[in-house]
């Protein structure tokens, strides 16, 4: 296989580092003791020992470098993904918006205030000032629930139902509501103890009511506390209040670069606007003309705060405005905006807080008994270095593939001569349009042919030898033999035959290049012309026969993965997910399997996938000729990523006419989860130390899934689960940021992957992990038996 040389080299360097370390350590100890006990003057002793010490330090340094920089990594070959024009809609990035355009297609919705109190001095944007007491905003003239959850590392023997004292907590939890202290052992306080990720929690729920002119206030003193405030209408209320939700989003959900202007927007949700209009129509007089919803649910103040996840420091704080000058559409249209820039790459949390009032429909000057509302939302954004941006040319070259007569190669040039992009890995995509064979115009490339995408590496562009194309290239500012860097995509000639187009001129559309780790677009171009530099012939093997073959979908199959290899073995690979502390499945439910373990890690999908591949390829029970996957949580995304972009033994099960179960997953957020963003904040409360994962956010997952073709999705089978009953939950801390229904980590509506195969949806009484309110979904033996029996082997 092509990875043999790499494996041999890394093995040798690793053994060398071990020998160097073992041999140098005793010498260093002897020299250290000699220096410590010697009474000889420094000048005379160092004359003899310093050269030896320097040599030892050099050997130690070399051993450390070898050990850290030369991991054994088996790298699989790239696939050349292709597909028909009918699937163009599957491969679309979220739209890049301009000022004045609505950004709310991928917005998140919140109807609560969520306030993680991780220390007495942080999260000050929820207080307005720094205090030892953390002040939480509360609605006025409303009924509301306050839930306070606190991390507790005590003994399970304290799982009582009444009368728990402060002594059971690592720190006192002091709460003051409207000047009245609420003690933790009051008999009217209901609570439960739940376990999450090996930690125990005490939960306090207060049903409070704030009436009259007194401004309500809730103050909490303590660390590692999560406070959730949610207003509601009591069942006996004859005229319930409208639903007040906010929608917030980055103006461009696709990621940002250092120094680039970043805009955030917030407004009333569409559902909230409809609810307010219905409420207003019931209360309005016949002569009234109803105001706009944002004129009845008025945002009095909107604040934004940006925190660096790595340093936990606030790097930006400002007001959001509705004046038409902050990437909000029009002045006074109910859309608020704010802009900021980041000076260093990294991951950032963006927190938005809205303070508002609800007004009567017959006059915006009359508050509805001074009823107020408070809402908060949070986003995770990724900032990449400015030098990572790619500027694509608008003229590409097309060549005959020398190794495969039925393929042509498209070289997409970069404007920069930045040679560090050589051998750098990217994800790239382009749609191909051609010229009809009977067309009189060689420039009328209007017939859709198909798409081509996949993993690519930067390489030097091929030399131009055709005078006509050289002249065109020079006029376009593109010379391909001057150290320019190109990205190469392949296309089967059978797609040209299927569409009945020529071979000399093409038009590429929807071209984008993504960062492998985040799927953030590094460069884009709406259109790019492509000319053939070689004489391209349509031989007998290029004719489309009516069947879309594997070769048309994935490119040439590597020789070492030819089907039916003698003596090959098959195995089922069982994988955990994000930040797992153990293998979550009941392994006794499976047969002929190997269990992948990369515990307590936070990895992006590509890194996760390659480690999964390495585990299978180097397993002592191998080599395995064929394998498939059963995966939990992010393991489902990593397995899908692996079989999409790389040639593996799983491809020996896959064919366009066989929808075999290559990946079977449970609790996998294929379209992202709100927990991935909030986990950096709530994780500090609940003890999850792995941090945010951009691939698992709604924004990151939308960009990652944009390159998963239908040919892969048809081999994905998945299950989603949730709690049992109407008034229950899987995880109290995480349920505060998830939409219904969910399994405590994955929202079921975002666990559905288009064109994949649901095995079971919303399966009740199963949660994401073993430490939640119901048993772990991975211990569902009925599901495990089904997955084991139907796995491709």
């Amino acid at each position: 296989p092509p990875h043999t040389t790499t494996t041999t080299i890394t093995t040798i360097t690793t053994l060398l580092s071990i020998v160097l370390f073992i041999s140098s350590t005793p010498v260093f100890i002897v020299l250290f003791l000699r220096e410590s006990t010697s009474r000889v003057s420094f000048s005379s002793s160092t004359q003899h020992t310093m050269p030896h010490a320097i040599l030892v330090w050099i050997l130690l340094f070399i051993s450390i470098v070898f050990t850290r920089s030369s991991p054994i990594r088996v790298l699989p070959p790239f696939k050349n993904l292709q597909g028909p024009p009918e699937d163009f809609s599957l491969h679309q990035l979220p739209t890049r918006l301009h000022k004045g355009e609505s950004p709310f297609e991928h917005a998140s919705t919140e109807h609560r205030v969520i306030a993680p109190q991780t220390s007495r001095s942080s999260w000050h944007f929820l207080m307005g000032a720094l205090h030892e007491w953390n002040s939480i905003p509360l609605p006025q003239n409303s009924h509301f629930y306050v839930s306070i959850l606190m991390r507790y590392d005590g003994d399970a023997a304290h799982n009582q139902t009444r009368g728990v004292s402060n002594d059971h907590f690592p720190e006192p939890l002091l709460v003051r509501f409207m000047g009245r202290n609420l003690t933790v052992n009051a008999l009217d306080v209901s609570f439960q103890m739940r376990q999450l990720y090996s930690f125990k929690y005490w939960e306090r729920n207060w049903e409070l009511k704030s009436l009259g002119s007194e401004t309500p206030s809730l103050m909490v003193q303590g660390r590692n506390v999560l406070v959730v405030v949610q207003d509601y209408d009591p069942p006996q209320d004859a005229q319930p209040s409208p639903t007040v939700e906010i929608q917030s989003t980055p103006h461009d959900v696709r990621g940002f670069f250092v120094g680039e202007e970043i805009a955030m927007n917030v407004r009333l949700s569409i559902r909230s606007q409809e609810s307010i209009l219905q409420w207003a129509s019931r209360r309005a007089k016949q002569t009234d003309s109803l105001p706009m919803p944002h004129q009845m649910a008025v945002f009095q103040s909107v604040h934004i705060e940006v925190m660096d996840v790595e340093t936990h420091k606030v790097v930006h704080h400002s007001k959001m405005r509705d004046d038409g000058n902050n990437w909000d559409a029009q002045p006074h249209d109910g859309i608020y905006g704010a802009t900021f820039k980041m000076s260093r790459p990294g991951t950032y949390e963006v927190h938005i807080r809205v303070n508002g009032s609800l007004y009567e429909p017959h006059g915006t000057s009359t508050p509805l008994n001074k009823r107020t509302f408070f809402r908060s939302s949070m986003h995770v954004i990724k900032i990449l270095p400015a030098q990572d941006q790619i500027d694509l040319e608008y003229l590409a070259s097309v060549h005959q593939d020398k190794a495969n007569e039925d393929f042509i190669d498209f070289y997409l040039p970069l404007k920069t001569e930045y040679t560090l992009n050589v051998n750098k890995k990217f994800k790239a995509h382009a749609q191909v349009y051609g010229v009809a064979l009977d067309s009189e115009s060689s420039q009328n490339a209007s017939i859709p042919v198909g798409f081509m995408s996949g993993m690519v590496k930067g390489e030097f562009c091929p030399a131009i030898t055709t005078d006509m194309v050289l002249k065109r290239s020079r006029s376009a500012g593109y010379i391909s033999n001057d150290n320019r860097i190109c990205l190469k995509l392949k296309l089967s000639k059978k797609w040209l035959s299927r569409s009945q187009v020529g071979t000399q001129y093409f038009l590429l559309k929807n071209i984008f290049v993504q960062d492998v780790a985040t799927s953030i677009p590094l460069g884009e171009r709406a259109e790019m012309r492509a000319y053939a530099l070689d004489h391209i012939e349509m031989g007998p093997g290029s004719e489309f026969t009516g069947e879309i073959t594997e070769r048309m979908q994935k490119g040439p199959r590597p020789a070492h993965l030819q089907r039916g290899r003698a003596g090959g073995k098959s195995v089922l690979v069982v994988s955990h997910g994000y930040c797992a502390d153990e293998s979550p499945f009941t392994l006794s439910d499976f047969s002929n399997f190997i269990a992948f373990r990369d515990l307590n890690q936070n990895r992006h999908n590509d890194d996760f996938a390659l480690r999964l591949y390495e585990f299978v390829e180097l397993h002592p029970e191998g080599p395995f000729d064929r394998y498939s996957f059963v995966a939990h949580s992010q393991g489902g995304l990593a397995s899908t990523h692996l079989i999409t972009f790389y040639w593996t033994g799983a491809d020996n099960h896959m064919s366009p006419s066989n929808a075999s179960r290559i990946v079977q997953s449970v609790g996998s957020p294929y379209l992202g989860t709100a927990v991935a963003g909030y986990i950096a904040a709530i994780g500090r409360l609940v003890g999850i130390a792995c941090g945010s994962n951009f691939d698992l956010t709604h924004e990151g997952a939308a960009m990652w899934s944009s390159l998963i073709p239908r040919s892969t999705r048809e081999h994905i089978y998945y299950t989603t689960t949730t709690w049992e009953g109407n008034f229950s939950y899987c995880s109290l801390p995480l349920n505060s940021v998830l939409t219904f229904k969910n399994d405590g980590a994955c929202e079921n509506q975002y666990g559905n992957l288009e064109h994949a195969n649901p095995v079971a949806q919303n399966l009740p009484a199963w949660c994401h992990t073993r430490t939640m309110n119901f048993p772990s979904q991975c211990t569902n033996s009925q599901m495990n038996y089904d997955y084991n029996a139907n796995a491709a082997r």
Side-chain angles (χ1 to χ4, degrees), residues 10 19 33 80 83 89 109 159 195 215 261 291 316 372 424 499 559 566 585 618 713 719 741 780:
T10 52
V19 172
L33 294 175
N80 308 115
S89 60
T109 302
N159 184 9
Q195 192 179 16
T215 301
E261 187 176 56
H316 175 83
T372 60
K424 183 176 180 180
S499 303
F585 288 96
L618 299 183
R713 298 176 186 228
T719 295
K741 287 204 172 186
N780 182 348

Side-chain angles (χ1 to χ4, degrees), residues 174-194:
L174 305 177
V175 180
R176 183 178 298 160
F177 172 66
M178 298 182 68
R180 178 169 61 93
N181 290 336
L182 302 178
T183 58
V184 295
N185 58 349
L187 294 179
D188 60 345
V189 176
S190 62
F191 58 87
Q192 295 174 315
M193 184 174 72
R194 293 297 175 198

Side-chain angles (χ1 to χ4, degrees), residues 126-200:
L126 291 171
M127 300 180 286
L130 295 177
H131 296 288
E132 186 178 8
W133 285 84
N134 290 333
S135 179
I136 312 301
L138 295 176
Q140 189 172 2
N141 204 312
S142 300
H143 289 80
F144 52 88
Y145 286 114
V146 174
S147 295
I148 299 179
L149 296 101
M150 183 177 183
R151 178 172 165 180
Y152 170 63
D153 299 314
D155 192 277
H158 296 305
N159 184 9
Q160 306 170 24
T161 57
R162 287 289 185 271
V164 176
S165 68
N166 281 336
D167 295 337
H168 295 159
F169 292 91
E171 289 190 12
L173 175 63
L174 305 177
V175 180
R176 183 178 298 160
F177 172 66
M178 298 182 68
R180 178 169 61 93
N181 290 336
L182 302 178
T183 58
V184 295
N185 58 349
L187 294 179
D188 60 345
V189 176
S190 62
F191 58 87
Q192 295 174 315
M193 184 174 72
R194 293 297 175 198
Q195 192 179 16
L196 178 68
Y197 290 97
S198 300
F199 293 101
K200 301 181 181 67

Side-chain angles (χ1 to χ4, degrees), residues 533-547:
L533 275 74
D534 299 333
H535 179 66
I536 299 175
E537 293 185 355
M538 298 289 289
S542 304
E543 184 178 352
F544 179 67
T545 59
E547 178 187 1

Side-chain angles (χ1 to χ4, degrees), residues 89-97 101-110 246-256 263-267 269-270 352 377-381 521 670-674 694 696-706 739 747 749-750 754:
S89 60
L90 281 179
H91 306 285
Q92 301 289 335
L93 290 174
T95 305
R96 181 179 289 275
L97 301 173
E101 297 179 339
S102 175
F104 292 98
E105 179 183 356
H106 299 280
S108 62
T109 302
E110 280 295 347
I246 62 169
Q247 282 183 305
S248 59
T249 180
H251 202 82
D252 188 346
V253 300
R254 303 181 303 175
F256 302 93
M264 298 291 300
N265 292 106
V266 62
R267 71 171 183 186
S269 70
I270 296 297
I352 296 175
S377 66
M378 174 181 164
H379 298 265
V380 171
I381 60 174
Y670 289 105
L671 301 181
T673 171
F694 188 73
L696 299 181
T697 64
H698 293 311
E699 297 87 350
M703 292 183 288
W704 169 78
S705 63
S706 66
T739 57
E747 300 144 306
Q749 62 177 317
Y750 296 110
E754 186 179 4

Side-chain angles (χ1 to χ4, degrees), residues 228-476:
V228 181
V229 180
Q230 181 175 347
D231 51 275
Y232 73 100
D233 289 304
Q236 65 272 19
D237 196 336
Q239 293 185 326
S241 302
T243 301
V244 179
E245 297 175 331
I246 62 169
Q247 282 183 305
S248 59
T249 180
H251 202 82
D252 188 346
V253 300
R254 303 181 303 175
F256 302 93
F257 297 90
V258 169
E260 183 180 6
E261 187 176 56
I262 303 167
M264 298 291 300
N265 292 106
V266 62
R267 71 171 183 186
L268 287 170
S269 70
I270 296 297
R271 187 167 81 102
S272 183
Q273 294 180 37
E274 295 172 350
S275 175
I276 291 170
L277 287 175
Q278 294 173 1
W279 165 80
S281 63
R282 294 194 301 265
R283 301 181 65 91
K285 301 175 183 178
Q286 291 184 350
T287 57
D288 286 342
S289 58
L290 293 179
M292 297 295 290
H294 68 270
Q295 294 174 320
M296 290 177 281
V298 178
F299 291 1
Q300 304 289 2
S301 66
V302 186
H303 290 83
I304 183 172
E305 183 177 88
V306 184
M307 188 182 75
D308 189 325
V309 170
E310 181 179 352
T311 64
H312 304 305
K313 292 183 178 179
V314 176
V315 295
H316 175 83
H317 179 88
S318 66
K319 288 185 176 182
M320 302 183 74
R321 304 181 187 278
D322 181 11
D323 56 8
N325 297 319
N326 289 274
W327 284 73
D328 53 314
Q330 299 293 331
H332 312 300
D333 62 353
I335 299 177
Y336 286 72
T339 61
F340 55 91
K341 296 180 180 180
M342 293 292 101
S343 59
R344 59 186 295 269
T347 304
Y348 294 84
E349 294 174 4
V350 180
H351 303 271
I352 296 175
R353 183 193 68 191
V354 174
N355 299 351
S357 298
L358 194 62
Y359 286 82
E360 288 281 9
H362 52 266
T364 57
S365 61
T366 307
L368 180 63
N369 298 322
K370 294 186 178 180
R371 178 170 292 186
T372 60
F373 60 87
F374 297 88
R375 299 292 182 266
S376 67
S377 66
M378 174 181 164
H379 298 265
V380 171
I381 60 174
K382 201 78 173 180
I383 307 295
L384 297 183
Q387 62 266 28
D388 285 359
Q389 289 180 285
I390 288 176
D391 196 0
L392 292 164
E393 283 279 9
Y394 60 89
L395 180 64
S397 60
V398 185
H399 300 256
Q400 171 63 52
D401 187 332
K402 305 302 182 184
N404 302 279
E405 292 186 0
D406 56 334
F407 278 85
I408 54 177
D409 296 333
F410 288 76
Y411 284 85
L412 282 56
L414 314 183
K415 285 187 177 180
T416 177
E417 297 179 15
Y418 192 47
T419 55
L420 288 181
N421 285 324
V422 173
N423 291 324
K424 183 176 180 180
K425 190 165 69 170
F426 304 93
K427 292 191 294 183
H429 170 85
Q431 297 173 357
V432 182
Y433 290 76
V435 180
L437 291 174
D438 57 354
S439 174
E440 296 180 359
S441 172
S442 62
Q443 304 286 313
N444 186 24
S446 58
I447 299 178
V449 175
F451 70 84
M452 49 186 182
S453 62
M455 293 286 178
V456 295
K457 284 189 176 181
E459 58 184 273
F460 289 108
C461 301
I464 290 180
T465 56
T466 306
D467 292 338
M468 178 184 68
V469 178
L470 180 61
K471 183 177 180 180
R472 289 173 178 168
S473 302
R474 285 174 174 165
S475 65

Side-chain angles (χ1 to χ4, degrees), residues 501-545:
V501 298
T503 61
Q504 298 304 305
Y505 176 77
F506 302 92
L507 181 66
L508 306 182
K509 294 185 179 182
N510 189 29
I511 309 121
F512 57 84
V513 180
Q514 290 179 308
D515 175 56
V516 172
T518 63
S519 298
I520 291 175
L522 304 177
E524 299 173 71
R525 182 168 283 281
E527 292 185 353
M528 180 185 294
R529 292 176 292 156
Y531 294 93
L533 275 74
D534 299 333
H535 179 66
I536 299 175
E537 293 185 355
M538 298 289 289
S542 304
E543 184 178 352
F544 179 67
T545 59

